[in-house]
Amino acid sequence: MSNKHNRRNFLKIVGAGGVATTAALYTPLAIGSASKKVVIIGGGMGGATAAKYMRMMDKSIEVTLITADKNYYTGFASNEVVSGERHMTSITFSYSGLRKHGVQVVVDTATSIDENKKVVRTANGKKFAYDRLIVSPGIDFRWETIDGYNAQVANTRIPHAWIAGSQTEMLHNQLHSMKDGGTVIIAAPPSPFRCPPGPYERAAQMAYYLKHNKPKSKILILDSKDRFSEFGLFTGGWKKHYGYGTDNSMIEWIPAYKGGAVEAVDVANMSVSGEFDEFKGDVINIIPAQKAGKIAFTAGLTDSSGWCPVQGNTFESTIHKNIHVIGDASIASPMPKSGYAANSEAKVCAAAIVALLSGNKIPDPSYVNTCYSVIAPGDGISVAMVYKYQNGKIVKVKGSGGLTPVEFNPKLREREVEYGHTWFNNITNDAFS
Ligand SMILES: Cc1cc2nc3c(=O)[nH]c(=O)nc-3n(C[C@H](O)[C@H](O)[C@H](O)COP(=O)(O)OP(=O)(O)OC[C@H]3O[C@@H](n4cnc5c(N)ncnc54)[C@H](O)[C@@H]3O)c2cc1C
């Protein structure tokens, strides 16, 4: 089903394909008193979901979650914080819900993994032994791909805001204090990267704010690609709300073949340059090329792509035994790098580990993803897909998923926003409550 949204079909397929996994997910197993230890690195969408579901599936497993910060900020909905449609507190989550499930939450940074001794070491000098380890550290950046751009510049002047937190607030503040008539530059990364529709939703959210507050301003998207996710839906939405394609368009998009790929940043001059031109911005948001989070490299879990190869039914690393990698850091293509995908992978991985630790058969998994984007209040779009494990690979389930129809239907587009906001509440409850 290519360009038609058929939610009933989609749900039917999730329902059918998800039977084996769902049964395994919700059945608490009694496997004797021996305490099996699972350690999880990273309390984001993947790690938090895995920790909670592991405890729900088998209370005899000791689950320790090592995570770098005392709070988690969701990437999803963070574009609405940038525009001012949401407050930062609405995307901030603590780990108190996971503690209630009996997860031992340790706020610390994992610095090394000894896969022979099965021990994780942390920055605070602690050691954690495990039977199985889950690594869900999210992303890191390929700073070397853009001259003059680095973590210090991102933290102080030109944010990426691609890991939600203080940089999300910085970008919000920069946008809100920019003069009317200013230029915002968004540099969009090459694939694969976290949240394929994200940069284009960000442009729409920023345009919404500027249209109503600083209407003489412009947004320039400089892209490292020639096409992007939900291309027709985004450009159609930009056209409807922000004049895209006209002389008065608030948004201009420059693809890679026209010199859009940013190669260098000049912080003092507040400019970026590509193959042909230099562009000056009042606010610059560089979203650099990405790779797996640092600990995945330190532990030797990555291949030459910079991401972690895994077996799709267990998410066990194909490089190191007893270590599972989920979320953005893993290679789970054709699934995208998204929060919903990380949540789905976490459940599959938790069910597989429970089975492996108790000597049971690994369930046949199915996986699901939907990404919602809000182009303007009352105008949302989505892309959805169901996946299954077949012949050693994750594959798309034929006939599942779909896109919001391109023909504009105001009621449907309004509903997509409601679905998106409800999805946000559901998924954050699912992971953190
Ligand atoms: C602007 C934007 C919009 C988005 N919109 C959507 C959307 O609409 N829908 C959607 O599904 N997804 C969306 N995403 C993507 C989503 O946020 C990510 O795909 C998802 O968070 C990935 O989960 P993860 O567990 O792999 O990584 P994360 O959620 O980033 O979690 C990683 C965690 O690990 C911690 N960590 C890392 N290294 C260590 C270490 N060594 N020791 C201890 N802790 C460590 C980090 O501090 C972090 O808490 C969006 C992302 C952005 C940036």
Side-chain angles (χ1 to χ4, degrees), residues 188 222-225 254-264 273-275:
L222 300 174
D223 213 323
S224 298
K225 306 176 292 304
I254 303 186
Y257 79 94
K258 288 189 176 165
V262 168
E263 295 171 354
S273 39
E275 197 182 349

Side-chain angles (χ1 to χ4, degrees), residues 122-433:
T122 68
N124 288 341
K126 296 206 181 105
K127 284 199 256 180
F128 296 88
Y130 64 83
D131 294 300
R132 293 262 165 188
L133 173 67
I134 300 178
V135 179
S136 188
I139 53 162
D140 199 354
F141 300 102
R142 295 179 179 275
W143 303 108
E144 71 284 1
T145 58
I146 299 180
D147 273 358
Y149 196 54
N150 55 45
Q152 194 259 335
V153 171
N155 280 324
T156 53
R157 190 72 185 92
I158 298 181
H160 51 71
W162 218 241
I163 294 175
S166 56
Q167 288 192 25
T168 310
E169 286 184 302
M170 190 198 299
L171 189 56
H172 165 95
N173 293 340
Q174 290 180 348
L175 180 72
H176 286 245
S177 54
M178 187 180 85
K179 65 174 193 273
D180 190 9
T183 300
V184 178
I185 292 176
I186 300 175
S191 298
F193 64 103
R194 153 178 288 186
C195 192
Y200 314 98
E201 181 196 49
R202 177 169 286 177
Q205 282 291 322
M206 287 178 149
Y208 179 75
Y209 166 77
L210 293 174
K211 179 177 169 178
H212 294 279
N213 296 280
K214 292 157 189 174
K216 289 187 238 141
S217 309
K218 293 263 178 261
I219 298 171
L220 186 58
I221 306 172
L222 300 174
D223 213 323
S224 298
K225 306 176 292 304
D226 290 335
R227 195 92 181 157
F228 55 82
S229 171
E230 298 169 81
F231 187 85
L233 285 170
F234 274 111
T235 50
W238 295 345
K239 188 172 173 189
K240 180 165 179 57
H241 299 283
Y242 313 118
Y244 185 69
T246 67
D247 287 347
N248 288 326
S249 179
M250 186 159 253
I251 298 177
E252 187 183 350
W253 174 68
I254 303 186
Y257 79 94
K258 288 189 176 165
V262 168
E263 295 171 354
V265 172
D266 182 339
V267 184
N269 198 31
M270 278 300 276
S271 66
V272 299
S273 39
E275 197 182 349
F276 311 123
D277 295 304
E278 189 186 40
F279 306 89
K280 268 181 92 64
D282 297 279
V283 172
I284 304 181
N285 170 216
I286 303 274
I287 308 167
Q290 293 155 36
K291 60 184 180 183
K294 186 175 172 193
I295 187 70
F297 282 85
T298 318
L301 290 162
T302 50
D303 68 11
S304 59
S305 71
W307 305 99
C308 304
V310 293
Q311 287 163 24
N313 57 341
T314 59
F315 285 86
E316 184 165 4
S317 162
T318 56
I319 302 175
H320 291 311
K321 278 189 78 59
N322 303 312
I323 304 179
H324 302 246
V325 185
I326 57 173
D328 291 351
S330 69
I331 301 173
S333 166
M335 292 181 79
K337 296 189 183 301
S338 79
Y340 201 169
N343 172 274
S344 193
E345 293 162 17
K347 292 172 183 174
V348 168
C349 177
I353 289 180
V354 168
L356 287 163
L357 289 176
S358 54
N360 288 336
K361 188 176 172 291
I362 297 163
D364 275 342
S366 61
Y367 329 70
V368 60
N369 180 66
T370 306
C371 283
Y372 295 96
S373 303
V374 182
I375 294 178
D379 187 3
I381 58 173
S382 70
V383 53
M385 184 55 64
V386 184
Y387 307 83
K388 64 180 177 181
Y389 187 69
Q390 193 174 51
N391 303 327
K393 280 190 185 156
I394 300 173
V395 295
K396 293 179 180 176
V397 172
K398 279 203 185 111
S400 72
L403 281 172
T404 307
V406 175
E407 316 79 67
F408 190 83
N409 172 339
K411 286 248 175 309
L412 175 66
R413 302 288 279 251
E414 219 175 300
R415 269 207 309 274
E416 291 280 35
V417 176
E418 283 169 31
Y419 292 147
H421 287 158
T422 310
W423 170 83
F424 176 90
N425 295 337
N426 290 341
I427 200 124
T428 50
N429 264 315
D430 192 39
F432 294 101
S433 297

